[in-house]
PDB file of all heavy atoms in Angstrom:
ATOM      1  N   GLY I   1      24.519  88.788  98.649  1.00 97.00           N
ATOM      2  CA  GLY I   1      25.542  89.805  98.387  1.00 97.00           C
ATOM      3  C   GLY I   1      26.120  89.853  96.984  1.00 97.00           C
ATOM      4  O   GLY I   1      27.083  90.505  96.711  1.00 97.00           O
ATOM      5  N   CYS I   2      25.476  89.093  96.040  1.00 97.00           N
ATOM      6  CA  CYS I   2      25.833  89.151  94.650  1.00 97.00           C
ATOM      7  C   CYS I   2      24.700  88.817  93.789  1.00 97.00           C
ATOM      8  O   CYS I   2      23.739  88.158  94.244  1.00 97.00           O
ATOM      9  CB  CYS I   2      27.013  88.282  94.378  1.00 97.00           C
ATOM     10  SG  CYS I   2      26.761  86.511  94.539  1.00 97.00           S
ATOM     11  N   ASP I   3      24.740  89.171  92.501  1.00 97.00           N
ATOM     12  CA  ASP I   3      23.602  88.880  91.620  1.00 97.00           C
ATOM     13  C   ASP I   3      23.720  87.611  90.915  1.00 97.00           C
ATOM     14  O   ASP I   3      22.783  87.205  90.194  1.00 97.00           O
ATOM     15  CB  ASP I   3      23.354  90.068  90.679  1.00 97.00           C
ATOM     16  CG  ASP I   3      24.488  90.369  89.712  1.00 97.00           C
ATOM     17  OD1 ASP I   3      25.548  89.608  89.851  1.00 97.00           O
ATOM     18  OD2 ASP I   3      24.428  91.258  88.966  1.00 97.00           O
ATOM     19  N   GLY I   4      24.837  86.963  91.028  1.00 97.00           N
ATOM     20  CA  GLY I   4      25.020  85.617  90.366  1.00 97.00           C
ATOM     21  C   GLY I   4      26.455  85.110  90.545  1.00 97.00           C
ATOM     22  O   GLY I   4      27.274  85.806  91.094  1.00 97.00           O
ATOM     23  N   GLU I   5      26.662  83.901  90.130  1.00 98.00           N
ATOM     24  CA  GLU I   5      27.969  83.205  90.183  1.00 98.00           C
ATOM     25  C   GLU I   5      27.903  82.042  89.257  1.00 98.00           C
ATOM     26  O   GLU I   5      26.950  81.610  88.694  1.00 98.00           O
ATOM     27  CB  GLU I   5      28.201  82.764  91.623  1.00 98.00           C
ATOM     28  CG  GLU I   5      27.185  81.788  92.225  1.00 98.00           C
ATOM     29  CD  GLU I   5      27.534  81.540  93.608  1.00 98.00           C
ATOM     30  OE1 GLU I   5      28.662  81.051  93.945  1.00 98.00           O
ATOM     31  OE2 GLU I   5      26.673  81.662  94.414  1.00 98.00           O
ATOM     32  N   GLN I   6      29.145  81.562  89.056  1.00 98.00           N
ATOM     33  CA  GLN I   6      29.339  80.314  88.195  1.00 98.00           C
ATOM     34  C   GLN I   6      29.806  79.142  89.161  1.00 98.00           C
ATOM     35  O   GLN I   6      30.645  79.450  90.021  1.00 98.00           O
ATOM     36  CB  GLN I   6      30.468  80.563  87.223  1.00 98.00           C
ATOM     37  CG  GLN I   6      30.221  81.601  86.179  1.00 98.00           C
ATOM     38  CD  GLN I   6      29.263  81.072  85.066  1.00 98.00           C
ATOM     39  OE1 GLN I   6      29.467  79.959  84.669  1.00 98.00           O
ATOM     40  NE2 GLN I   6      28.387  81.921  84.610  1.00 98.00           N
ATOM     41  N   VAL I   7      29.206  78.073  89.073  1.00 97.00           N
ATOM     42  CA  VAL I   7      29.577  76.890  89.813  1.00 97.00           C
ATOM     43  C   VAL I   7      29.730  75.692  88.861  1.00 97.00           C
ATOM     44  O   VAL I   7      29.261  75.651  87.773  1.00 97.00           O
ATOM     45  CB  VAL I   7      28.505  76.566  90.900  1.00 97.00           C
ATOM     46  CG1 VAL I   7      28.323  77.714  91.921  1.00 97.00           C
ATOM     47  CG2 VAL I   7      27.199  76.138  90.285  1.00 97.00           C
ATOM     48  N   ASP I   8      30.436  74.721  89.372  1.00 96.00           N
ATOM     49  CA  ASP I   8      30.579  73.463  88.574  1.00 96.00           C
ATOM     50  C   ASP I   8      29.182  72.876  88.497  1.00 96.00           C
ATOM     51  O   ASP I   8      28.477  72.855  89.465  1.00 96.00           O
ATOM     52  CB  ASP I   8      31.530  72.488  89.179  1.00 96.00           C
ATOM     53  CG  ASP I   8      33.019  72.924  89.221  1.00 96.00           C
ATOM     54  OD1 ASP I   8      33.308  73.781  88.214  1.00 96.00           O
ATOM     55  OD2 ASP I   8      33.829  72.559  89.965  1.00 96.00           O
ATOM     56  N   ARG I   9      28.854  72.380  87.276  1.00 95.00           N
ATOM     57  CA  ARG I   9      27.600  71.684  87.168  1.00 95.00           C
ATOM     58  C   ARG I   9      27.582  70.507  88.153  1.00 95.00           C
ATOM     59  O   ARG I   9      28.415  69.721  88.210  1.00 95.00           O
ATOM     60  CB  ARG I   9      27.413  71.219  85.702  1.00 95.00           C
ATOM     61  CG  ARG I   9      25.953  70.782  85.485  1.00 95.00           C
ATOM     62  CD  ARG I   9      25.653  70.522  84.007  1.00 95.00           C
ATOM     63  NE  ARG I   9      25.565  71.808  83.268  1.00 95.00           N
ATOM     64  CZ  ARG I   9      26.137  72.016  82.133  1.00 95.00           C
ATOM     65  NH1 ARG I   9      26.790  71.011  81.509  1.00 95.00           N
ATOM     66  NH2 ARG I   9      26.026  73.195  81.502  1.00 95.00           N
ATOM     67  N   PRO I  10      26.395  70.410  88.838  1.00 96.00           N
ATOM     68  CA  PRO I  10      26.311  69.313  89.822  1.00 96.00           C
ATOM     69  C   PRO I  10      26.144  67.927  89.203  1.00 96.00           C
ATOM     70  O   PRO I  10      25.926  67.874  87.997  1.00 96.00           O
ATOM     71  CB  PRO I  10      24.975  69.651  90.647  1.00 96.00           C
ATOM     72  CG  PRO I  10      24.190  70.500  89.725  1.00 96.00           C
ATOM     73  CD  PRO I  10      25.208  71.249  88.807  1.00 96.00           C
ATOM     74  N   ALA I  11      26.375  66.942  90.026  1.00 96.00           N
ATOM     75  CA  ALA I  11      26.290  65.549  89.539  1.00 96.00           C
ATOM     76  C   ALA I  11      24.936  65.232  88.927  1.00 96.00           C
ATOM     77  O   ALA I  11      23.923  65.836  89.313  1.00 96.00           O
ATOM     78  CB  ALA I  11      26.561  64.617  90.724  1.00 96.00           C
ATOM     79  N   ALA I  12      24.973  64.224  88.075  1.00 96.00           N
ATOM     80  CA  ALA I  12      23.641  63.793  87.464  1.00 96.00           C
ATOM     81  C   ALA I  12      22.642  63.410  88.540  1.00 96.00           C
ATOM     82  O   ALA I  12      22.983  62.870  89.600  1.00 96.00           O
ATOM     83  CB  ALA I  12      23.910  62.549  86.581  1.00 96.00           C
ATOM     84  N   GLY I  13      21.430  63.780  88.296  1.00 98.00           N
ATOM     85  CA  GLY I  13      20.317  63.553  89.271  1.00 98.00           C
ATOM     86  C   GLY I  13      20.090  64.610  90.284  1.00 98.00           C
ATOM     87  O   GLY I  13      19.172  64.492  91.056  1.00 98.00           O
ATOM     88  N   THR I  14      21.028  65.590  90.391  1.00 98.00           N
ATOM     89  CA  THR I  14      20.886  66.656  91.388  1.00 98.00           C
ATOM     90  C   THR I  14      19.683  67.516  91.057  1.00 98.00           C
ATOM     91  O   THR I  14      19.533  67.988  89.984  1.00 98.00           O
ATOM     92  CB  THR I  14      22.193  67.484  91.454  1.00 98.00           C
ATOM     93  OG1 THR I  14      23.268  66.693  91.776  1.00 98.00           O
ATOM     94  CG2 THR I  14      21.998  68.611  92.480  1.00 98.00           C
ATOM     95  N   THR I  15      18.809  67.700  92.044  1.00 98.00           N
ATOM     96  CA  THR I  15      17.690  68.559  91.827  1.00 98.00           C
ATOM     97  C   THR I  15      17.978  70.016  92.232  1.00 98.00           C
ATOM     98  O   THR I  15      18.978  70.273  92.844  1.00 98.00           O
ATOM     99  CB  THR I  15      16.499  68.074  92.685  1.00 98.00           C
ATOM    100  OG1 THR I  15      16.800  68.324  94.079  1.00 98.00           O
ATOM    101  CG2 THR I  15      16.072  66.685  92.366  1.00 98.00           C
ATOM    102  N   VAL I  16      17.088  70.923  91.851  1.00 98.00           N
ATOM    103  CA  VAL I  16      17.213  72.338  92.283  1.00 98.00           C
ATOM    104  C   VAL I  16      17.288  72.340  93.775  1.00 98.00           C
ATOM    105  O   VAL I  16      18.147  73.058  94.404  1.00 98.00           O
ATOM    106  CB  VAL I  16      16.144  73.195  91.655  1.00 98.00           C
ATOM    107  CG1 VAL I  16      16.103  74.533  92.283  1.00 98.00           C
ATOM    108  CG2 VAL I  16      16.175  73.251  90.162  1.00 98.00           C
ATOM    109  N   ARG I  17      16.476  71.633  94.451  1.00 98.00           N
ATOM    110  CA  ARG I  17      16.397  71.669  95.932  1.00 98.00           C
ATOM    111  C   ARG I  17      17.755  71.199  96.503  1.00 98.00           C
ATOM    112  O   ARG I  17      18.276  71.718  97.463  1.00 98.00           O
ATOM    113  CB  ARG I  17      15.225  70.766  96.457  1.00 98.00           C
ATOM    114  CG  ARG I  17      15.048  70.767  97.840  1.00 98.00           C
ATOM    115  CD  ARG I  17      13.872  69.838  98.335  1.00 98.00           C
ATOM    116  NE  ARG I  17      12.681  70.005  97.555  1.00 98.00           N
ATOM    117  CZ  ARG I  17      11.723  70.881  97.762  1.00 98.00           C
ATOM    118  NH1 ARG I  17      11.798  71.625  98.801  1.00 98.00           N
ATOM    119  NH2 ARG I  17      10.659  70.860  96.977  1.00 98.00           N
ATOM    120  N   ASP I  18      18.290  70.103  95.880  1.00 98.00           N
ATOM    121  CA  ASP I  18      19.569  69.580  96.349  1.00 98.00           C
ATOM    122  C   ASP I  18      20.723  70.662  96.227  1.00 98.00           C
ATOM    123  O   ASP I  18      21.546  70.875  97.162  1.00 98.00           O
ATOM    124  CB  ASP I  18      20.041  68.363  95.546  1.00 98.00           C
ATOM    125  CG  ASP I  18      19.173  67.137  95.698  1.00 98.00           C
ATOM    126  OD1 ASP I  18      18.432  67.030  96.697  1.00 98.00           O
ATOM    127  OD2 ASP I  18      19.115  66.355  94.669  1.00 98.00           O
ATOM    128  N   LEU I  19      20.637  71.378  95.080  1.00 98.00           N
ATOM    129  CA  LEU I  19      21.684  72.393  94.816  1.00 98.00           C
ATOM    130  C   LEU I  19      21.504  73.490  95.770  1.00 98.00           C
ATOM    131  O   LEU I  19      22.552  74.070  96.297  1.00 98.00           O
ATOM    132  CB  LEU I  19      21.595  72.841  93.344  1.00 98.00           C
ATOM    133  CG  LEU I  19      22.613  73.859  92.917  1.00 98.00           C
ATOM    134  CD1 LEU I  19      24.101  73.356  93.156  1.00 98.00           C
ATOM    135  CD2 LEU I  19      22.479  74.193  91.493  1.00 98.00           C
ATOM    136  N   MET I  20      20.330  73.920  96.067  1.00 98.00           N
ATOM    137  CA  MET I  20      20.098  74.973  97.019  1.00 98.00           C
ATOM    138  C   MET I  20      20.685  74.531  98.425  1.00 98.00           C
ATOM    139  O   MET I  20      21.204  75.373  99.080  1.00 98.00           O
ATOM    140  CB  MET I  20      18.606  75.310  97.145  1.00 98.00           C
ATOM    141  CG  MET I  20      18.063  75.956  95.823  1.00 98.00           C
ATOM    142  SD  MET I  20      16.322  76.139  95.863  1.00 98.00           S
ATOM    143  CE  MET I  20      16.073  77.315  97.213  1.00 98.00           C
ATOM    144  N   ALA I  21      20.485  73.300  98.797  1.00 97.00           N
ATOM    145  CA  ALA I  21      21.018  72.814 100.087  1.00 97.00           C
ATOM    146  C   ALA I  21      22.540  72.843 100.082  1.00 97.00           C
ATOM    147  O   ALA I  21      23.133  73.228 101.094  1.00 97.00           O
ATOM    148  CB  ALA I  21      20.531  71.408 100.312  1.00 97.00           C
ATOM    149  N   MET I  22      23.170  72.492  99.066  1.00 97.00           N
ATOM    150  CA  MET I  22      24.621  72.499  98.851  1.00 97.00           C
ATOM    151  C   MET I  22      25.110  74.015  99.008  1.00 97.00           C
ATOM    152  O   MET I  22      26.116  74.292  99.761  1.00 97.00           O
ATOM    153  CB  MET I  22      25.103  71.924  97.559  1.00 97.00           C
ATOM    154  CG  MET I  22      24.981  70.422  97.528  1.00 97.00           C
ATOM    155  SD  MET I  22      25.677  69.745  95.975  1.00 97.00           S
ATOM    156  CE  MET I  22      24.235  69.610  94.978  1.00 97.00           C
ATOM    157  N   LEU I  23      24.439  74.953  98.374  1.00 97.00           N
ATOM    158  CA  LEU I  23      24.775  76.260  98.449  1.00 97.00           C
ATOM    159  C   LEU I  23      24.549  76.908  99.863  1.00 97.00           C
ATOM    160  O   LEU I  23      25.415  77.563 100.421  1.00 97.00           O
ATOM    161  CB  LEU I  23      24.009  77.175  97.492  1.00 97.00           C
ATOM    162  CG  LEU I  23      24.308  76.849  95.939  1.00 97.00           C
ATOM    163  CD1 LEU I  23      23.267  77.561  95.112  1.00 97.00           C
ATOM    164  CD2 LEU I  23      25.671  77.341  95.646  1.00 97.00           C
ATOM    165  N   ALA I  24      23.459  76.503 100.476  1.00 97.00           N
ATOM    166  CA  ALA I  24      23.172  76.952 101.886  1.00 97.00           C
ATOM    167  C   ALA I  24      24.225  76.530 102.800  1.00 97.00           C
ATOM    168  O   ALA I  24      24.470  77.156 103.813  1.00 97.00           O
ATOM    169  CB  ALA I  24      21.794  76.434 102.318  1.00 97.00           C
ATOM    170  N   ALA I  25      24.848  75.382 102.532  1.00 97.00           N
ATOM    171  CA  ALA I  25      25.914  74.828 103.450  1.00 97.00           C
ATOM    172  C   ALA I  25      27.173  75.605 103.410  1.00 97.00           C
ATOM    173  O   ALA I  25      28.054  75.508 104.311  1.00 97.00           O
ATOM    174  CB  ALA I  25      26.174  73.364 103.081  1.00 97.00           C
TER     175      ALA I  25
END
């Protein structure tokens, strides 16, 4: 429902897959 957003940069070592899981939650 949006074309983008700003989030806090994730912790060191976070992968794209990890970030996607955090967003999906």
Side-chain angles (χ1 to χ4, degrees):
C2 66
D3 60 1
E5 61 185 304
Q6 297 281 322
V7 299
D8 289 338
R9 190 170 290 136
T14 301
T15 66
V16 171
R17 186 182 311 274
D18 296 335
L19 182 55
M20 290 171 68
M22 288 185 262
L23 293 168

